[in-house]
Every structure is written in structure tokens, then in C-alpha cells.
Short mmCIF file of all heavy atoms in Angstrom, two decimals:
data_model
loop_
_atom_site.label_atom_id
_atom_site.label_comp_id
_atom_site.label_asym_id
_atom_site.label_seq_id
_atom_site.Cartn_x
_atom_site.Cartn_y
_atom_site.Cartn_z
N MET M 1 0.84 -1.21 0.00
CA MET M 1 0.00 -0.01 -0.01
C MET M 1 0.86 1.27 0.00
O MET M 1 0.61 2.17 -0.74
CB MET M 1 -0.91 -0.04 1.22
CG MET M 1 -1.76 1.22 1.36
SD MET M 1 -2.92 1.32 -0.03
CE MET M 1 -3.80 2.74 0.40
N LEU M 2 1.87 1.28 0.85
CA LEU M 2 2.73 2.48 0.90
C LEU M 2 3.50 2.67 -0.39
O LEU M 2 3.73 3.79 -0.80
CB LEU M 2 3.68 2.40 2.10
CG LEU M 2 3.02 2.56 3.46
CD1 LEU M 2 4.03 2.32 4.54
CD2 LEU M 2 2.37 3.90 3.59
N ARG M 3 3.89 1.54 -1.03
CA ARG M 3 4.56 1.65 -2.32
C ARG M 3 3.64 2.35 -3.33
O ARG M 3 4.09 3.17 -4.09
CB ARG M 3 4.99 0.27 -2.85
CG ARG M 3 5.58 0.36 -4.23
CD ARG M 3 5.96 -0.98 -4.72
NE ARG M 3 7.22 -1.35 -4.05
CZ ARG M 3 7.89 -2.42 -4.34
NH1 ARG M 3 7.47 -3.26 -5.22
NH2 ARG M 3 9.00 -2.67 -3.69
N ILE M 4 2.35 1.98 -3.31
CA ILE M 4 1.40 2.60 -4.22
C ILE M 4 1.28 4.08 -3.95
O ILE M 4 1.28 4.90 -4.85
CB ILE M 4 0.03 1.90 -4.10
CG1 ILE M 4 0.13 0.46 -4.59
CG2 ILE M 4 -1.03 2.68 -4.88
CD1 ILE M 4 -1.06 -0.38 -4.29
N VAL M 5 1.22 4.46 -2.68
CA VAL M 5 1.08 5.86 -2.32
C VAL M 5 2.30 6.64 -2.78
O VAL M 5 2.22 7.70 -3.39
CB VAL M 5 0.90 6.02 -0.79
CG1 VAL M 5 0.98 7.47 -0.36
CG2 VAL M 5 -0.43 5.45 -0.37
N LEU M 6 3.52 6.11 -2.51
CA LEU M 6 4.74 6.80 -2.90
C LEU M 6 4.84 6.90 -4.42
O LEU M 6 5.18 7.92 -4.96
CB LEU M 6 5.96 6.12 -2.32
CG LEU M 6 7.30 6.77 -2.61
CD1 LEU M 6 7.30 8.22 -2.11
CD2 LEU M 6 8.43 6.01 -1.98
N THR M 7 4.51 5.81 -5.08
CA THR M 7 4.58 5.79 -6.53
C THR M 7 3.59 6.81 -7.12
O THR M 7 3.95 7.60 -8.00
CB THR M 7 4.25 4.39 -7.10
OG1 THR M 7 5.18 3.48 -6.60
CG2 THR M 7 4.27 4.38 -8.59
N ALA M 8 2.36 6.85 -6.58
CA ALA M 8 1.41 7.80 -7.08
C ALA M 8 1.87 9.24 -6.81
O ALA M 8 1.71 10.09 -7.67
CB ALA M 8 0.01 7.57 -6.38
N ALA M 9 2.42 9.46 -5.66
CA ALA M 9 2.91 10.80 -5.35
C ALA M 9 4.02 11.22 -6.28
O ALA M 9 4.03 12.36 -6.74
CB ALA M 9 3.37 10.86 -3.90
N LEU M 10 4.90 10.32 -6.56
CA LEU M 10 6.03 10.62 -7.44
C LEU M 10 5.56 10.87 -8.88
O LEU M 10 6.12 11.69 -9.58
CB LEU M 10 7.06 9.53 -7.42
CG LEU M 10 7.83 9.37 -6.10
CD1 LEU M 10 8.71 8.12 -6.16
CD2 LEU M 10 8.68 10.59 -5.83
N LEU M 11 4.52 10.19 -9.28
CA LEU M 11 4.06 10.29 -10.65
C LEU M 11 3.03 11.39 -10.87
O LEU M 11 2.83 11.86 -11.97
CB LEU M 11 3.45 8.97 -11.11
CG LEU M 11 4.42 7.81 -11.24
CD1 LEU M 11 3.67 6.52 -11.59
CD2 LEU M 11 5.50 8.10 -12.27
N CYS M 12 2.40 11.84 -9.79
CA CYS M 12 1.25 12.75 -9.95
C CYS M 12 1.51 14.16 -9.47
O CYS M 12 0.59 14.82 -9.06
CB CYS M 12 0.06 12.20 -9.20
SG CYS M 12 -0.59 10.69 -9.90
N GLY M 13 2.65 14.64 -9.51
CA GLY M 13 2.70 16.03 -9.11
C GLY M 13 4.05 16.43 -8.47
O GLY M 13 4.09 17.30 -7.61
N SER M 14 5.07 15.81 -8.87
CA SER M 14 6.38 16.23 -8.36
C SER M 14 6.66 17.64 -8.86
O SER M 14 6.28 18.02 -9.96
CB SER M 14 7.41 15.25 -8.92
OG SER M 14 8.68 15.78 -8.66
N THR M 15 7.35 18.37 -8.01
CA THR M 15 7.73 19.72 -8.44
C THR M 15 8.82 19.67 -9.48
O THR M 15 9.10 20.66 -10.15
CB THR M 15 8.23 20.53 -7.22
OG1 THR M 15 9.30 19.82 -6.60
CG2 THR M 15 7.11 20.78 -6.25
N VAL M 16 9.42 18.53 -9.65
CA VAL M 16 10.42 18.29 -10.69
C VAL M 16 9.88 17.21 -11.60
O VAL M 16 9.32 16.25 -11.14
CB VAL M 16 11.76 17.83 -10.05
CG1 VAL M 16 12.82 17.62 -11.10
CG2 VAL M 16 12.21 18.82 -9.01
N VAL M 17 10.04 17.37 -12.90
CA VAL M 17 9.43 16.48 -13.83
C VAL M 17 10.23 15.19 -14.07
O VAL M 17 10.22 14.64 -15.13
CB VAL M 17 9.20 17.22 -15.20
CG1 VAL M 17 8.39 16.33 -16.16
CG2 VAL M 17 8.47 18.51 -14.97
N TYR M 18 10.90 14.73 -13.07
CA TYR M 18 11.69 13.53 -13.27
C TYR M 18 11.01 12.31 -12.68
O TYR M 18 11.49 11.20 -12.88
CB TYR M 18 13.05 13.67 -12.60
CG TYR M 18 13.01 13.87 -11.10
CD1 TYR M 18 12.86 12.79 -10.26
CD2 TYR M 18 13.11 15.14 -10.57
CE1 TYR M 18 12.80 12.97 -8.90
CE2 TYR M 18 13.05 15.32 -9.18
CZ TYR M 18 12.91 14.22 -8.37
OH TYR M 18 12.86 14.40 -7.01
N ALA M 19 9.92 12.44 -12.00
CA ALA M 19 9.31 11.34 -11.26
C ALA M 19 8.97 10.14 -12.14
O ALA M 19 9.15 9.01 -11.73
CB ALA M 19 8.08 11.80 -10.55
N GLN M 20 8.52 10.38 -13.33
CA GLN M 20 8.12 9.27 -14.18
C GLN M 20 9.32 8.42 -14.59
O GLN M 20 9.15 7.32 -15.04
CB GLN M 20 7.38 9.79 -15.39
CG GLN M 20 6.04 10.41 -15.02
CD GLN M 20 5.33 10.98 -16.24
OE1 GLN M 20 5.92 11.18 -17.28
NE2 GLN M 20 4.07 11.29 -16.04
N GLU M 21 10.50 8.93 -14.47
CA GLU M 21 11.70 8.24 -14.88
C GLU M 21 12.30 7.37 -13.77
O GLU M 21 13.25 6.63 -14.02
CB GLU M 21 12.72 9.21 -15.37
CG GLU M 21 12.25 9.98 -16.60
CD GLU M 21 13.27 11.06 -17.01
OE1 GLU M 21 14.43 10.99 -16.61
OE2 GLU M 21 12.85 11.98 -17.72
N LEU M 22 11.77 7.43 -12.56
CA LEU M 22 12.32 6.65 -11.46
C LEU M 22 11.94 5.15 -11.62
O LEU M 22 10.83 4.84 -11.95
CB LEU M 22 11.79 7.13 -10.10
CG LEU M 22 12.20 8.51 -9.68
CD1 LEU M 22 11.60 8.86 -8.34
CD2 LEU M 22 13.70 8.66 -9.62
N THR M 23 12.88 4.31 -11.37
CA THR M 23 12.66 2.88 -11.45
C THR M 23 12.07 2.39 -10.09
O THR M 23 12.14 3.13 -9.07
CB THR M 23 13.95 2.12 -11.72
OG1 THR M 23 14.82 2.30 -10.59
CG2 THR M 23 14.63 2.62 -12.98
N ASN M 24 11.61 1.17 -10.10
CA ASN M 24 11.11 0.60 -8.84
C ASN M 24 12.20 0.56 -7.80
O ASN M 24 11.98 0.84 -6.63
CB ASN M 24 10.54 -0.79 -9.06
CG ASN M 24 9.21 -0.75 -9.77
OD1 ASN M 24 8.48 0.22 -9.72
ND2 ASN M 24 8.87 -1.85 -10.45
N ALA M 25 13.43 0.22 -8.23
CA ALA M 25 14.56 0.16 -7.29
C ALA M 25 14.82 1.53 -6.69
O ALA M 25 15.13 1.64 -5.49
CB ALA M 25 15.79 -0.37 -8.01
N GLN M 26 14.71 2.55 -7.51
CA GLN M 26 14.94 3.92 -6.99
C GLN M 26 13.84 4.32 -6.00
O GLN M 26 14.11 4.91 -4.97
CB GLN M 26 15.00 4.92 -8.14
CG GLN M 26 16.26 4.76 -8.97
CD GLN M 26 16.22 5.57 -10.24
OE1 GLN M 26 15.20 5.64 -10.92
NE2 GLN M 26 17.34 6.18 -10.55
N ARG M 27 12.60 4.00 -6.35
CA ARG M 27 11.51 4.27 -5.42
C ARG M 27 11.70 3.52 -4.10
O ARG M 27 11.47 4.06 -3.01
CB ARG M 27 10.17 3.92 -6.04
CG ARG M 27 9.74 4.89 -7.09
CD ARG M 27 8.31 4.56 -7.59
NE ARG M 27 8.12 5.18 -8.86
CZ ARG M 27 8.25 4.59 -10.05
NH1 ARG M 27 8.55 3.31 -10.11
NH2 ARG M 27 8.06 5.25 -11.16
N ASP M 28 12.11 2.25 -4.20
CA ASP M 28 12.32 1.43 -3.01
C ASP M 28 13.43 2.02 -2.15
O ASP M 28 13.37 1.93 -0.92
CB ASP M 28 12.71 0.01 -3.41
CG ASP M 28 11.52 -0.78 -3.99
OD1 ASP M 28 10.37 -0.33 -3.83
OD2 ASP M 28 11.78 -1.84 -4.59
N ALA M 29 14.41 2.69 -2.74
CA ALA M 29 15.52 3.28 -1.98
C ALA M 29 15.01 4.35 -1.02
O ALA M 29 15.61 4.58 0.02
CB ALA M 29 16.55 3.87 -2.94
N CYS M 30 13.89 4.97 -1.36
CA CYS M 30 13.37 6.04 -0.53
C CYS M 30 12.17 5.61 0.30
O CYS M 30 11.64 6.43 1.11
CB CYS M 30 12.96 7.27 -1.39
SG CYS M 30 14.38 8.11 -2.07
N MET M 31 11.71 4.41 0.15
CA MET M 31 10.50 3.97 0.87
C MET M 31 10.64 4.08 2.38
O MET M 31 9.76 4.58 3.07
CB MET M 31 10.12 2.53 0.48
CG MET M 31 8.82 2.05 1.10
SD MET M 31 7.38 3.06 0.69
CE MET M 31 7.24 2.78 -1.04
N GLY M 32 11.75 3.62 2.94
CA GLY M 32 11.98 3.70 4.37
C GLY M 32 12.01 5.12 4.86
O GLY M 32 11.43 5.46 5.93
N ASP M 33 12.61 6.01 4.10
CA ASP M 33 12.67 7.43 4.49
C ASP M 33 11.26 8.06 4.42
O ASP M 33 10.88 8.83 5.28
CB ASP M 33 13.62 8.17 3.60
CG ASP M 33 15.06 7.74 3.81
OD1 ASP M 33 15.50 7.68 4.95
OD2 ASP M 33 15.74 7.49 2.81
N TYR M 34 10.54 7.67 3.41
CA TYR M 34 9.15 8.15 3.27
C TYR M 34 8.36 7.71 4.50
O TYR M 34 7.67 8.52 5.12
CB TYR M 34 8.49 7.58 2.00
CG TYR M 34 6.98 7.67 2.04
CD1 TYR M 34 6.35 8.88 1.88
CD2 TYR M 34 6.22 6.54 2.26
CE1 TYR M 34 4.96 8.95 1.94
CE2 TYR M 34 4.87 6.60 2.34
CZ TYR M 34 4.23 7.82 2.18
OH TYR M 34 2.86 7.88 2.25
N GLN M 35 8.46 6.44 4.87
CA GLN M 35 7.69 5.92 5.99
C GLN M 35 8.12 6.60 7.29
O GLN M 35 7.29 6.84 8.19
CB GLN M 35 7.86 4.41 6.12
CG GLN M 35 7.21 3.68 4.96
CD GLN M 35 7.49 2.18 4.96
OE1 GLN M 35 8.50 1.74 5.55
NE2 GLN M 35 6.67 1.44 4.31
N LYS M 36 9.39 6.90 7.42
CA LYS M 36 9.91 7.47 8.67
C LYS M 36 9.59 8.95 8.80
O LYS M 36 9.21 9.43 9.89
CB LYS M 36 11.42 7.25 8.72
CG LYS M 36 12.05 7.66 10.04
CD LYS M 36 13.49 7.25 10.07
CE LYS M 36 14.14 7.59 11.41
NZ LYS M 36 15.52 7.15 11.48
N PHE M 37 9.75 9.70 7.73
CA PHE M 37 9.65 11.15 7.79
C PHE M 37 8.41 11.78 7.16
O PHE M 37 8.04 12.92 7.51
CB PHE M 37 10.89 11.79 7.14
CG PHE M 37 12.18 11.34 7.73
CD1 PHE M 37 13.06 10.61 6.99
CD2 PHE M 37 12.52 11.65 9.05
CE1 PHE M 37 14.27 10.20 7.51
CE2 PHE M 37 13.69 11.22 9.60
CZ PHE M 37 14.59 10.49 8.84
N CYS M 38 7.74 11.09 6.23
CA CYS M 38 6.75 11.76 5.42
C CYS M 38 5.42 11.02 5.29
O CYS M 38 4.59 11.39 4.48
CB CYS M 38 7.30 12.03 4.02
SG CYS M 38 8.81 13.00 4.02
N LYS M 39 5.22 9.96 6.10
CA LYS M 39 4.01 9.15 5.90
C LYS M 39 2.71 9.91 6.22
O LYS M 39 1.66 9.54 5.72
CB LYS M 39 4.08 7.87 6.66
CG LYS M 39 4.00 7.99 8.16
CD LYS M 39 4.09 6.60 8.79
CE LYS M 39 4.05 6.71 10.32
NZ LYS M 39 4.14 5.38 10.92
N SER M 40 2.80 10.96 6.95
CA SER M 40 1.59 11.76 7.26
C SER M 40 1.30 12.81 6.18
O SER M 40 0.25 13.49 6.20
CB SER M 40 1.73 12.44 8.61
OG SER M 40 2.76 13.41 8.58
N VAL M 41 2.17 12.90 5.18
CA VAL M 41 2.02 13.89 4.12
C VAL M 41 1.02 13.37 3.09
O VAL M 41 1.11 12.25 2.64
CB VAL M 41 3.37 14.20 3.44
CG1 VAL M 41 3.22 15.09 2.24
CG2 VAL M 41 4.35 14.78 4.45
N THR M 42 0.07 14.21 2.73
CA THR M 42 -0.94 13.84 1.73
C THR M 42 -0.28 13.86 0.35
O THR M 42 0.34 14.85 -0.04
CB THR M 42 -2.11 14.85 1.74
OG1 THR M 42 -2.65 14.89 3.06
CG2 THR M 42 -3.18 14.46 0.72
N PRO M 43 -0.36 12.72 -0.39
CA PRO M 43 0.24 12.66 -1.72
C PRO M 43 -0.37 13.67 -2.68
O PRO M 43 -1.52 14.03 -2.59
CB PRO M 43 -0.02 11.24 -2.18
CG PRO M 43 -0.35 10.47 -0.93
CD PRO M 43 -0.97 11.50 0.00
N GLY M 44 0.44 14.09 -3.67
CA GLY M 44 -0.04 14.97 -4.72
C GLY M 44 0.63 16.35 -4.61
O GLY M 44 1.05 16.76 -3.53
N GLY M 45 0.76 16.97 -5.73
CA GLY M 45 1.32 18.32 -5.74
C GLY M 45 2.78 18.39 -5.38
O GLY M 45 3.27 19.47 -5.04
N GLY M 46 3.47 17.27 -5.40
CA GLY M 46 4.90 17.29 -5.06
C GLY M 46 5.20 17.35 -3.58
O GLY M 46 6.32 17.57 -3.18
N ARG M 47 4.14 17.13 -2.78
CA ARG M 47 4.32 17.26 -1.31
C ARG M 47 5.29 16.23 -0.73
O ARG M 47 6.06 16.55 0.17
CB ARG M 47 2.99 17.22 -0.61
CG ARG M 47 2.16 18.45 -0.87
CD ARG M 47 0.86 18.41 -0.09
NE ARG M 47 -0.12 17.50 -0.65
CZ ARG M 47 -1.03 17.83 -1.54
NH1 ARG M 47 -1.13 19.08 -1.98
NH2 ARG M 47 -1.85 16.94 -2.03
N ILE M 48 5.28 15.00 -1.24
CA ILE M 48 6.18 13.98 -0.70
C ILE M 48 7.63 14.28 -1.08
O ILE M 48 8.52 14.20 -0.27
CB ILE M 48 5.75 12.57 -1.12
CG1 ILE M 48 4.43 12.22 -0.41
CG2 ILE M 48 6.82 11.56 -0.82
CD1 ILE M 48 3.83 10.91 -0.84
N ILE M 49 7.82 14.68 -2.32
CA ILE M 49 9.18 15.06 -2.73
C ILE M 49 9.67 16.23 -1.93
O ILE M 49 10.83 16.26 -1.47
CB ILE M 49 9.20 15.40 -4.25
CG1 ILE M 49 8.86 14.17 -5.09
CG2 ILE M 49 10.54 15.99 -4.65
CD1 ILE M 49 9.86 13.06 -4.99
N ALA M 50 8.79 17.21 -1.69
CA ALA M 50 9.17 18.38 -0.88
C ALA M 50 9.50 17.97 0.55
O ALA M 50 10.47 18.49 1.14
CB ALA M 50 8.03 19.42 -0.89
N CYS M 51 8.73 17.02 1.09
CA CYS M 51 8.99 16.55 2.45
C CYS M 51 10.33 15.86 2.49
O CYS M 51 11.14 16.10 3.41
CB CYS M 51 7.89 15.60 2.87
SG CYS M 51 8.18 14.83 4.49
N LEU M 52 10.60 14.97 1.53
CA LEU M 52 11.88 14.28 1.52
C LEU M 52 13.04 15.28 1.37
O LEU M 52 14.06 15.14 2.02
CB LEU M 52 11.91 13.22 0.39
CG LEU M 52 11.07 12.01 0.63
CD1 LEU M 52 11.03 11.15 -0.63
CD2 LEU M 52 11.51 11.20 1.82
N ALA M 53 12.84 16.28 0.55
CA ALA M 53 13.88 17.28 0.35
C ALA M 53 14.11 18.07 1.66
O ALA M 53 15.24 18.38 2.00
CB ALA M 53 13.50 18.26 -0.78
N LYS M 54 13.04 18.35 2.38
CA LYS M 54 13.15 19.08 3.64
C LYS M 54 13.94 18.28 4.69
O LYS M 54 14.64 18.81 5.50
CB LYS M 54 11.76 19.36 4.18
CG LYS M 54 11.68 20.10 5.49
CD LYS M 54 10.25 20.34 5.85
CE LYS M 54 10.15 20.74 7.33
NZ LYS M 54 8.75 20.83 7.76
N GLU M 55 13.80 16.94 4.61
CA GLU M 55 14.49 16.06 5.53
C GLU M 55 15.79 15.51 4.96
O GLU M 55 16.33 14.52 5.44
CB GLU M 55 13.55 14.88 5.87
CG GLU M 55 12.22 15.26 6.49
CD GLU M 55 12.34 15.92 7.85
OE1 GLU M 55 13.39 15.70 8.55
OE2 GLU M 55 11.42 16.62 8.25
N SER M 56 16.32 16.16 3.94
CA SER M 56 17.46 15.62 3.20
C SER M 56 18.68 15.30 4.07
O SER M 56 19.39 14.34 3.80
CB SER M 56 17.86 16.57 2.09
OG SER M 56 18.33 17.79 2.61
N ASP M 57 18.87 16.03 5.13
CA ASP M 57 20.03 15.75 6.02
C ASP M 57 19.85 14.47 6.79
O ASP M 57 20.81 13.96 7.37
CB ASP M 57 20.31 16.93 6.94
CG ASP M 57 19.14 17.26 7.84
OD1 ASP M 57 17.97 17.16 7.38
OD2 ASP M 57 19.39 17.63 9.01
N LYS M 58 18.61 13.95 6.86
CA LYS M 58 18.32 12.74 7.62
C LYS M 58 18.10 11.51 6.75
O LYS M 58 17.98 10.40 7.26
CB LYS M 58 17.05 12.95 8.46
CG LYS M 58 17.15 14.09 9.44
CD LYS M 58 15.82 14.32 10.09
CE LYS M 58 15.79 15.61 10.88
NZ LYS M 58 14.46 15.97 11.34
N LEU M 59 18.08 11.68 5.46
CA LEU M 59 17.78 10.57 4.54
C LEU M 59 18.90 9.59 4.46
O LEU M 59 20.07 9.94 4.68
CB LEU M 59 17.48 11.11 3.13
CG LEU M 59 16.28 12.02 2.98
CD1 LEU M 59 16.17 12.49 1.53
CD2 LEU M 59 15.00 11.39 3.46
N THR M 60 18.57 8.37 4.12
CA THR M 60 19.61 7.35 3.91
C THR M 60 20.44 7.72 2.69
O THR M 60 19.96 8.44 1.80
CB THR M 60 18.96 5.97 3.66
OG1 THR M 60 18.13 6.04 2.47
CG2 THR M 60 18.15 5.51 4.84
N PRO M 61 21.69 7.28 2.67
CA PRO M 61 22.52 7.60 1.49
C PRO M 61 21.88 7.15 0.17
O PRO M 61 22.01 7.84 -0.83
CB PRO M 61 23.81 6.84 1.81
CG PRO M 61 23.86 6.74 3.28
CD PRO M 61 22.44 6.58 3.72
N ALA M 62 21.21 6.02 0.17
CA ALA M 62 20.62 5.51 -1.05
C ALA M 62 19.51 6.46 -1.56
O ALA M 62 19.45 6.77 -2.77
CB ALA M 62 20.02 4.12 -0.86
N CYS M 63 18.69 6.97 -0.68
CA CYS M 63 17.63 7.88 -1.07
C CYS M 63 18.22 9.21 -1.51
O CYS M 63 17.78 9.81 -2.51
CB CYS M 63 16.63 8.05 0.04
SG CYS M 63 15.15 9.01 -0.41
N LYS M 64 19.19 9.70 -0.77
CA LYS M 64 19.84 10.95 -1.19
C LYS M 64 20.41 10.85 -2.59
O LYS M 64 20.27 11.77 -3.38
CB LYS M 64 21.00 11.29 -0.23
CG LYS M 64 20.58 11.83 1.11
CD LYS M 64 21.81 12.19 1.93
CE LYS M 64 21.44 12.66 3.31
NZ LYS M 64 22.61 12.98 4.10
N LYS M 65 21.03 9.72 -2.89
CA LYS M 65 21.61 9.48 -4.20
C LYS M 65 20.49 9.51 -5.28
O LYS M 65 20.65 10.14 -6.33
CB LYS M 65 22.37 8.16 -4.24
CG LYS M 65 23.04 7.90 -5.52
CD LYS M 65 23.79 6.58 -5.49
CE LYS M 65 24.41 6.29 -6.86
NZ LYS M 65 25.07 5.00 -6.90
N VAL M 66 19.41 8.82 -5.01
CA VAL M 66 18.30 8.78 -5.98
C VAL M 66 17.77 10.17 -6.25
O VAL M 66 17.61 10.58 -7.39
CB VAL M 66 17.16 7.89 -5.47
CG1 VAL M 66 15.88 8.09 -6.25
CG2 VAL M 66 17.58 6.42 -5.53
N LEU M 67 17.51 10.93 -5.18
CA LEU M 67 16.97 12.32 -5.36
C LEU M 67 17.98 13.19 -6.06
O LEU M 67 17.58 13.97 -6.93
CB LEU M 67 16.54 12.88 -4.01
CG LEU M 67 15.37 12.17 -3.34
CD1 LEU M 67 15.11 12.82 -1.99
CD2 LEU M 67 14.13 12.18 -4.17
N SER M 68 19.22 13.09 -5.69
CA SER M 68 20.24 13.92 -6.33
C SER M 68 20.39 13.57 -7.82
O SER M 68 20.46 14.52 -8.66
CB SER M 68 21.58 13.68 -5.64
OG SER M 68 22.62 14.36 -6.26
N GLU M 69 20.46 12.33 -8.17
CA GLU M 69 20.57 11.92 -9.56
C GLU M 69 19.35 12.32 -10.38
O GLU M 69 19.43 12.74 -11.52
CB GLU M 69 20.82 10.41 -9.67
CG GLU M 69 22.20 10.02 -9.21
CD GLU M 69 22.40 8.51 -9.19
OE1 GLU M 69 21.43 7.75 -9.49
OE2 GLU M 69 23.51 8.09 -8.87
N ALA M 70 18.17 12.18 -9.77
CA ALA M 70 16.93 12.48 -10.48
C ALA M 70 16.83 13.99 -10.76
O ALA M 70 16.33 14.39 -11.81
CB ALA M 70 15.72 12.01 -9.66
N GLU M 71 17.31 14.81 -9.86
CA GLU M 71 17.25 16.26 -10.04
C GLU M 71 18.15 16.68 -11.19
O GLU M 71 17.90 17.73 -11.81
CB GLU M 71 17.62 16.98 -8.77
CG GLU M 71 16.58 16.89 -7.69
CD GLU M 71 17.02 17.51 -6.39
OE1 GLU M 71 18.22 17.82 -6.21
OE2 GLU M 71 16.11 17.73 -5.53
N LYS M 72 19.18 15.94 -11.47
CA LYS M 72 20.12 16.28 -12.55
C LYS M 72 19.52 16.05 -13.92
O LYS M 72 19.99 16.62 -14.89
CB LYS M 72 21.41 15.47 -12.40
CG LYS M 72 22.22 15.83 -11.17
CD LYS M 72 23.44 14.95 -11.06
CE LYS M 72 24.17 15.20 -9.77
NZ LYS M 72 25.32 14.29 -9.60
N LYS M 73 18.51 15.22 -14.01
CA LYS M 73 17.91 14.89 -15.32
C LYS M 73 17.06 15.97 -15.84
O LYS M 73 16.47 16.74 -15.22
CB LYS M 73 17.08 13.59 -15.20
CG LYS M 73 17.93 12.37 -14.94
CD LYS M 73 17.08 11.16 -14.91
CE LYS M 73 17.94 9.93 -14.63
NZ LYS M 73 17.20 8.71 -14.59
#
């Protein structure tokens, strides 16, 4: 269920237009961080990406790498 929520959030309104290019492995890299820091955030409008970015200093290295690489595209 949470994978669906994160996937929907990434595909439906990221403030950066890279969300559709993320692979399942990349989404999985941020799932734990999403659950830890952003699970109360309502999906849509880029809110989850914004939440993860706000918590960037606390994210796992894998999720930081995914977000950093995706922003470069």
C-alpha cells in the first residue's frame, strides 16, 4: 500500500518532472525514508518530494543518491 502511495505521489505532481523516470529500485531506496519522515504527508502536488527534500540531511545515502541523480535529469 505504501509503495502505491509513494509511486502515485512521485508520478502525480512532483515539483520536478523527473518522477516518471524513477525505477522501482529507486523508489524502493526512498521507501523507508518516506515511512519514517513523510508518511503523514498527503500525496499529490509534489508534497512527498518536498517533504523528503526538507528532511534531506536525515535521509539514507541511497535515497539521497536517488533524489540527487533524479534532479540532474
Side-chain angles (χ1 to χ4, degrees):
M1 177 65 177
L2 289 174
R3 175 181 284 185
I4 293 169
V5 171
L6 182 58
T7 300
L10 290 173
L11 293 176
C12 293
S14 169
T15 55
V16 181
V17 186
Y18 63 81
Q20 293 177 345
E21 298 175 19
L22 294 180
T23 65
N24 286 336
Q26 290 170 318
R27 286 186 199 97
D28 289 346
C30 290
M31 185 58 67
D33 293 312
Y34 161 75
Q35 292 173 339
K36 187 173 183 178
F37 303 114
C38 302
K39 69 180 178 181
S40 65
V41 175
T42 304
R47 289 184 286 268
I48 291 176
I49 295 295
C51 176
L52 289 172
K54 180 179 166 187
E55 302 294 339
S56 65
D57 59 324
K58 301 174 190 169
L59 299 179
T60 60
C63 187
K64 283 182 183 181
K65 182 179 178 184
V66 167
L67 294 178
S68 175
E69 289 175 357
E71 288 176 346
K72 293 177 185 177
K73 292 182 180 180

